[in-house]
Amino acid sequence: MRSLLIQCLAALLLGVTFLPQVEAAQPATVRLDYTHSGNALSDQYAIERVVIEPLPWPGSMARTLDDTNRGQNRVEVVDAKTGDLLYSRGFSTVFGEWRTTEEANRISRSFQESVRFPQFAQPVRVRILKRDERNGFSVAWSIEVDPNAQDVIRRQPPAPAKPIAIHSGGPSPDKVDLLILGDGYTQKDMKKFEQDARRLTKHLFSVSPFRERAGDFNVWAMAVPTEKPGITRPSTGVHHPSALGTRYDIFGSERYVLTLDNRALRDIAQHAPYEFIEILVNNETYGGGGIFGQFSTAAASNDWADYLFVHEFGHHFAGLA
């Protein structure tokens, strides 16, 4: 596992993010929110909205194409007129995992998803690709996006929380920006959240290969306070509403922790520079989860929190199985 993680990390760092910064202002960040619905046999897509996020694009513009060939899906952004490929990234989805469950053989469900990309001067066509029976990528859905269209959302509500700088490696376009979001932390727990974020970040950079590449990361932390400590755990009758909607018992698995409220997640995360997200939940019960290119989660107050934080980040960051 460690060897594979090193290979994936090297590919991600050298192939996608860490090339010399182009001496130009960073473009805006465009987010396409859409629904992905279906069952084990078929799926469909529908647009929800296009958002111009408050912060500029956090990634490097020197190389915008992903050649790592990881993930069950890939987003491609092409020039709407010429078809030239402008941007690509591999990712996986919560829907893609759900459709492997027994429930997906009986009913259809809908999930929120998003893809983010730098704003280009011209209208673009966004293509969502998925793996086919030959393990290659084929187009599942495409839609034209004009960032200057009237229905594009350009103004956002004020940030519900302020990001805290946990670890600084340098300007965002030259670094990987990891955002640690807290869920289940009350206003009185905000100091504990910052301590948890700093403690787990310190542990992440004590483990190879992250130890050797600590200078290539920025880490931010942000939490929207909840009324009660801890997150929802339906199997025990605990229901604690929170801004992110993170909970245990995902897909009937007691220790599986995710949020299914993608819009809430993105609306909060957009107020900090990020390319990757890990959600810390203020719980002692063992639990976590990780979806490649989406987010990961870990119970911060569990005795295994150090392990969980790194393990689940490996799923999210490098697509480790």
Side-chain angles (χ1 to χ4, degrees), residues 38-76:
N39 50 48
L41 298 178
S42 63
D43 57 334
Q44 302 82 37
Y45 297 80
I47 186 173
E48 284 191 335
R49 59 180 186 169
V50 177
V51 176
I52 305 297
E53 293 191 346
L55 299 181
W57 180 246
S60 172
M61 293 301 295
R63 185 175 179 184
T64 56
L65 304 184
D66 181 0
D67 58 5
T68 62
N69 196 33
R70 303 195 66 78
Q72 292 301 312
N73 295 91
R74 185 165 70 201
V75 56
E76 293 184 345

Side-chain angles (χ1 to χ4, degrees), residues 242-263:
S242 65
L244 293 176
T246 319
R247 65 177 177 87
Y248 286 83
D249 301 307
I250 294 295
F251 306 153
S253 179
E254 184 180 4
R255 297 178 178 181
Y256 199 12
V257 178
L258 295 177
T259 176
L260 303 184
D261 194 344
N262 176 75
R263 177 177 284 198

